[in-house]
């Protein structure tokens, strides 16, 4: 049975920078960066000079002396991103939003109304450009994996991949375009003579598992052969929630750790509570100066969503990772994620005879933290996120990215 290219991956081009150029026409065609001390996003004109997200502002300015920094209009990013999603729903109800500026669409049931998938993609691009003034790329293919690659390869125009020539299309492309392959994995594969997706597909799955790990290696081997059975999921709920912070080389002092992990825990826990969810498993990731990363996890006796409890658990896990690597004096990234999520609209209190362990959300301390956090959430909702916060987070000098930007980038499904 011949597969049809019914899956679209729509991705707004240089979204944050494009919004800034839309709001201020004098910025159009000029190299701009959203941010200041750190580049949060860069326009295509700035990217041509090598400027990219997460780059220090001084370095970006050195690469592009004409670079213009803008502060960012976060409410506009959210508003326009939502309007783009509304356009998608005009064509199909099968929309899976995966971030503030991208989504998958299944248009198999819409062809009798709007034409072939390629025509639908062109109509979407025309409407988003004409009605909202934003550029968008749309990849069209028979699988989610290939549609996403197609939208990236031909940016800013998008691309339609003929289902009969999918493997020929994939074969010469660099492995870095694939999900899950970052710079470290690229180097590991390059050391073994693998630089293209075709070479990855032609290799041994056992060898790939040996390089990248069993789970990721198996998944990437199948994706390289365009073996991707995932469907577009409506109303998909996140299986985990997380946040990370990358920085220049730092010695992980107690003050530095509490500042960074406090920011991360505050972001993750507040997002959990906003969705009335909690999770039992906490995972941290530590990246050392030479790009080696390690993870540590702990499963709690009950699901947690308290900021302070998450900070304490994360600190213990990070200390464990550091103690196991005494020859790594500097770190460049911390990450926290919470998984094994459950709904938590209310809290079940425990009997006083139980241990007063804050990791048990129904304990005396756990209950107090639960109540304090929700009171803080209510105040922030009314007066803004900066109206109230934990001292260790608010006074930290180790976070330079606005929380509004992080919340958009970390939007959950």
């Amino acid at each position: 049975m011949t597969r049809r290219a019914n899956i679209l991956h729509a991705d707004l081009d240089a979204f944050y920078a494009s919004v800034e150029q839309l709001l201020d026409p004098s910025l159009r065609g000029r190299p701009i960066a959203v941010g200041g001390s750190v580049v949060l996003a860069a326009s295509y004109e700035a990217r041509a000079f090598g400027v990219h997200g997460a780059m220090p502002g001084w370095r970006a300015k050195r690469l592009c002396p004409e670079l213009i920094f803008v502060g960012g209009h976060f409410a506009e990013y959210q508003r326009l991103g939502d309007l783009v999603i509304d356009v998608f729903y005009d064509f199909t109800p099968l929309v899976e939003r995966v971030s503030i500026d991208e989504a998958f669409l299944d248009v198999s049931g819409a062809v009798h109304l709007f034409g072939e998938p390629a025509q639908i993609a062109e109509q979407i691009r025309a409407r988003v450009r004409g009605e909202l003034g934003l550029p968008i790329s749309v990849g069209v293919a028979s699988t989610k994996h290939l549609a996403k690659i197609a939208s990236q390869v031909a940016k800013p125009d998008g691309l339609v991949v003929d289902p009969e020539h999918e493997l020929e299309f994939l074969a010469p492309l660099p492995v870095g375009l694939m999900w899950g392959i970052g710079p470290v994995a690229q180097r590991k594969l390059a050391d073994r003579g693998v630089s293209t997706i075709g070479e990855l597909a032609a290799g041994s799955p056992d060898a790939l598992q040996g390089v990248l790990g069993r789970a990721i290696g198996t998944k990437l081997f199948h994706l390289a052969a365009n073996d991707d059975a995932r469907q577009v999921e409506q109303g998909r709920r996140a299986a985990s929630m997380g946040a990370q912070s990358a920085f220049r080389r730092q010695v992980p002092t107690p003050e530095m750790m509490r500042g960074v992990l406090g920011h991360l825990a505050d972001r993750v826990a507040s997002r959990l509570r906003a969705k009335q969810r909690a999770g039992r498993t906490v995972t941290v990731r530590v990246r050392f100066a030479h790009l080696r990363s390690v993870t540590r996890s702990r499963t709690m006796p009950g699901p947690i969503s308290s900021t302070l409890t998450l900070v304490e658990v994360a600190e213990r896990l990070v200390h464990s990772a550091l103690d196991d690597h005494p020859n790594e004096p500097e770190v460049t990234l911390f990450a926290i994620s919470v998984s094994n999520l459950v709904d938590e609209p209310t809290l079940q209190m425990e009997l006083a005879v139980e241990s007063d362990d804050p990791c048990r959300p129904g304990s005396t301390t756990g209950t107090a933290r639960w109540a304090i956090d929700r009171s803080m959430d209510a105040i922030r909702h009314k007066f803004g996120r900066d109206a109230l916060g934990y001292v260790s987070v608010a006074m930290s000098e180790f976070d330079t990215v606005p929380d509004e930007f992080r919340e958009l980038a970390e939007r959950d499904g």
Side-chain angles (χ1 to χ4, degrees):
M1 180 177 176
T2 302
R3 295 197 292 190
R4 292 179 58 83
N6 289 324
I7 294 181
L8 279 56
H9 178 261
D11 188 10
L12 287 154
D13 300 326
F15 177 53
Y16 303 111
S18 294
V19 171
E20 297 301 329
Q21 291 173 326
L22 175 68
L23 297 175
D24 183 354
S26 70
L27 298 176
R28 294 176 184 172
R30 304 175 69 182
I32 71 167
V34 180
S37 60
V38 175
V39 174
L40 306 181
S43 67
Y44 280 111
E45 296 85 357
R47 294 180 189 182
F49 290 87
V51 178
H52 57 77
M55 175 179 286
W58 63 266
R59 184 180 176 194
K61 195 69 174 178
R62 180 178 295 175
L63 290 172
C64 180
E66 303 301 317
L67 187 65
I68 301 170
F69 281 95
V70 294
H73 293 79
F74 302 102
E76 285 298 295
Y77 302 157
Q78 185 68 69
R79 183 184 70 84
L80 289 165
D82 290 344
L83 289 176
V84 171
I85 296 298
D86 289 342
V87 171
F88 299 161
Y89 277 115
D90 286 345
F91 291 90
T92 175
L94 299 176
V95 177
E96 178 183 337
R97 189 174 191 173
V98 294
S99 71
I100 185 67
D101 58 350
E102 66 174 317
F104 288 103
L105 296 76
D106 184 334
V107 297
S108 55
V111 293
H112 65 291
L113 292 174
F114 303 107
E116 291 299 309
Q119 295 174 299
I120 295 174
E122 185 54 42
Q123 291 174 63
I124 288 174
R125 290 181 58 222
R127 282 195 55 185
V128 173
R129 169 68 81 176
E131 297 174 16
L132 303 175
L134 294 171
I136 187 169
S137 295
V138 183
V140 185
S142 66
T143 67
K144 292 172 76 172
H145 169 65
L146 190 53
K148 183 174 177 63
I149 288 181
S151 70
Q152 305 304 308
V153 167
K155 268 187 174 293
D157 297 318
L159 185 68
V160 180
V161 181
D162 184 347
E164 295 185 3
H165 299 93
E166 292 173 339
L167 295 181
E168 294 95 321
F169 170 78
L170 279 173
L173 298 177
V175 293
L177 287 174
M178 295 182 65
W179 169 89
I181 297 185
V184 176
Q186 286 185 64
R187 285 195 291 272
K188 290 181 179 179
L189 292 171
D191 290 342
R192 289 160 176 79
V194 176
S195 60
T196 68
I197 297 176
E199 292 168 343
L200 193 64
S204 162
D206 291 337
L208 189 58
Q209 291 170 7
V211 176
L212 302 176
R214 184 175 183 83
I216 295 178
T218 300
K219 183 179 184 68
L220 291 177
F221 180 77
H222 286 289
L223 291 180
N226 200 33
D227 179 9
D228 181 11
R230 295 174 300 163
Q231 301 297 308
V232 174
E233 301 177 35
Q234 291 176 276
R236 178 179 62 89
R237 299 198 75 182
S240 66
M241 292 191 190
Q244 67 179 34
S245 182
F247 35 78
R248 296 187 220 175
R249 293 184 176 192
Q250 296 270 358
V251 175
T253 62
E255 295 77 16
M256 178 267 184
M257 290 172 55
R258 173 53 69 103
V260 176
L261 294 175
H263 266 284
L264 296 177
D266 190 32
R267 281 153 43 201
V268 174
S270 62
R271 285 161 51 212
L272 284 168
R273 296 191 298 269
K275 293 182 178 292
Q276 295 190 331
R277 308 201 83 192
R280 294 185 63 231
T281 301
V282 177
T283 301
V284 302
R285 181 161 65 98
V286 179
R287 188 176 68 197
F288 296 109
H290 299 294
L291 298 181
R292 180 185 180 185
S293 293
V294 297
T295 61
R296 294 291 184 272
S297 297
R298 179 186 172 189
T299 297
M300 304 292 107
I304 65 170
S305 61
S306 164
T307 297
L308 285 180
T309 302
L310 185 54
V311 171
E312 292 168 356
V313 174
E315 283 189 312
R316 288 195 288 269
L317 291 172
V318 169
H319 275 298
S320 173
L322 296 175
D323 291 343
D324 290 341
H325 296 81
N327 296 323
E328 297 281 2
E330 296 177 319
V331 293
T332 60
L333 177 144
F334 286 150
I336 298 176
S337 66
V338 179
S339 56
N340 284 340
L341 302 184
V342 298
D343 292 328
E344 190 189 57
T346 59
L347 182 64
Q348 179 65 49
M349 297 181 65
E350 296 178 353
L351 295 175
V353 295
E354 297 284 353
S355 170
D356 186 22
D357 179 359
C359 291
R360 303 185 68 88
S363 67
T364 302
T365 301
T367 302
R369 290 180 174 182
W370 193 91
I372 290 171
D373 279 334
R374 277 152 185 79
S375 296
M376 185 182 300
D377 293 340
I379 293 172
R380 285 174 162 181
H381 180 73
K382 185 173 183 179
F383 298 105
R385 189 175 182 85
D386 294 334
L388 188 65
Y390 291 102
V391 172
S392 60
V393 176
M395 301 299 291
S396 172
E397 300 178 357
F398 296 99
D399 195 78
T400 57
V401 177
D403 284 331
E404 299 95 329
F405 186 86
R406 294 191 187 279
E407 289 164 6
L408 291 177
E410 295 162 0
R411 182 188 179 108
D412 305 301

